[in-house]
Amino acid sequence: MTEKTGTLYGVGVGPGDPELLTLKAVRLIEAADVVAFFAKKDRPGHAFRITGDRISKSAISMRLEYPYTTEIPVDNPKYRAAMANFYDTSAAMIATHLREGRNVAVLCEGDPFLYGSFIYLFDRLEEFTCEVIPGVTAMAGCWAEAAAPMTRGTDVLNIVPGTLDEDQLTSRLTGADAAVIMKVGRNLPKIQRALARAGLADRAVYVERGTQKESKIERLSEKTDEPAPYFSLVLVPGENPSA
Ligand SMILES: C[S@@+](CC[C@H](N)C(=O)[O-])C[C@H]1O[C@@H](n2cnc3c(N)ncnc32)[C@H](O)[C@@H]1O
């Protein structure tokens, strides 16, 4: 008789405020045999921090530590090779638990399928049963906190990674009704230039660590020269008139 394999759960845990965890996320995290989470070197891991003490004491904890985050550019071949190897190794460790019948919950900040590292595990673990639990996205948490309605009527929302080069960013932003720029961090000066070129600088709102105790919200045009952390994004709310 073949032993039943475990299920892989990609669990969205929201942008930071633990009260934005869904009931389903909490239930699955509390019941998981193995809880895996991504973390930067010397950091606890954002999704792990959000989840707090909901992980069962008897669960096996699997910290997946990135070899790089922002130390070298993402288009550096060394970065690509190290990350591919990291995801291969992480997927292999998870596969071992799944084959032995244990359910594995991978904690994902925001929603697992929106620029989430979980996607690279999902792609490698296709042979296993997988369930994805949607999470409140960072942008939803940020626009709620900024009291910024984003799209009305026929407005189209563009979601753009700040890692694009300046010309690509400008072309994606030009003509946008509304936009969200993710992955800000050290890309902020480039994003500011692209927004200015696209004629959107005056409407842009900067949100740092949205929904967390230390969150900061300001008009991007008023932002001082302080660097932006990785957990920041820029909102450009639509301007369609109200009904
Ligand atoms: C790899 S993406 C993950 C997005 C996530 N899966 C989601 O659904 O929102 C990471 C980016 O999300 C944004 N982000 C995540 N949490 C945030 C927060 N609490 N406040 C502002 N931006 C956040 C930042 O732009 C960050 O660089």
Side-chain angles (χ1 to χ4, degrees), residues 15 109-111 114-115 138 142 182-183 209-210 212 230-232:
E109 43 128 341
D111 182 89
L114 185 75
Y115 296 121
C142 290
M182 318 260 309
K183 305 186 184 185
R209 297 193 173 92
Q212 299 170 40
Y230 176 73
F231 289 108
S232 58

Side-chain angles (χ1 to χ4, degrees), residues 10 23 27-29 32 54 69 76 84 101 124 148 164 187 193 212 217 229 233-234 242:
L23 297 175
R27 176 172 63 77
L28 288 168
I29 292 165
R54 297 195 181 276
T69 45
N76 183 324
R124 286 165 169 79
L164 291 181
N187 298 301
R193 290 193 298 275
Q212 299 170 40
I217 301 172
L233 54 73
V234 173
S242 204

Side-chain angles (χ1 to χ4, degrees), residues 181 184 188 191-193 195-196 200-207 217-224 228 233-236:
I181 307 167
V184 174
L188 184 63
I191 293 168
Q192 285 172 307
R193 290 193 298 275
L195 281 164
L200 297 174
D202 291 346
R203 270 157 62 191
V205 179
Y206 168 83
V207 186
I217 301 172
E218 56 194 320
R219 297 184 72 82
L220 187 59
S221 57
E222 288 164 13
K223 181 162 168 51
T224 55
L233 54 73
V234 173
L235 303 170
V236 181

